[in-house]
Amino acid sequence: MSGSLNRFEHITRSIDAEYSNRSNAHIEITERNEPHPFELRNIHPELPSKVRKLFDDGHWEQAVFEAFKFIEKEVKRISGLRGKTGYALMMEAFNESNAKIKLNNLGTDSEIDEQRGYKSIFAGAAAGIRNPRGHEVDIGDTPDEAMDYLALASLLLRRLDAANVR
């Protein structure tokens, strides 16, 4: 029994240490007399409020995951596409040959190239940022990395805003 008790004590202390580290991150972020990192980086205000709460609580990779889930839901809603997710959804929604979401008039080579480029950025973000955080146990994003990913999510939402599709 004492072996089981020692193992339980070890697990409990590990959880306490992890919680303490994440709690300290929250204190560092929220108790400064300077603007919040979301304001400093101009993170899109329409990202769900839980993204900021997760970030503030030290759950950086989960904050990133939630932001990119939101983008996927917006693309599904705007495009009307069903039965597709992630990379496949983005490739079809922004396909320059038959775009469900047009980011411009698609009237010039430059506009077609822009559409194609954003199709790749949206699809790449789904495959390379969102998916690993949805399927892996511990990505280990730092606050700075999370802010970079959230800035990209904000850019993608702002591009949809600029196209007047939201």
Side-chain angles (χ1 to χ4, degrees), residues 17-57:
E18 177 65 21
Y19 179 76
S20 175
N21 288 341
R22 293 208 181 236
S23 293
N24 290 340
H26 172 70
I27 290 166
E28 280 180 31
I29 290 170
T30 58
E31 290 188 357
R32 295 187 214 139
N33 287 332
E34 56 189 55
H36 188 278
F38 277 40
E39 278 76 44
L40 289 172
R41 293 292 291 270
N42 195 24
I43 299 303
H44 200 291
E46 291 178 28
L47 282 173
S49 60
K50 69 179 166 184
V51 171
R52 184 171 174 154
K53 179 167 181 9
L54 285 163
F55 182 88
D56 288 347
D57 288 345

Side-chain angles (χ1 to χ4, degrees), residues 1-2 10 15 25 52 63 65 73-74 78 80-81 85 97 102-103 109 112 116 129 141 165:
M1 180 84 140
S2 115
H10 175 73
I15 292 170
R52 184 171 174 154
F65 179 61
K73 286 181 182 178
E74 282 294 277
I78 296 164
L81 291 170
T85 61
S97 299
K102 290 183 180 182
L103 299 176
D109 287 344
I112 292 168
R116 184 179 298 125
I129 299 170
D141 290 337
V165 295

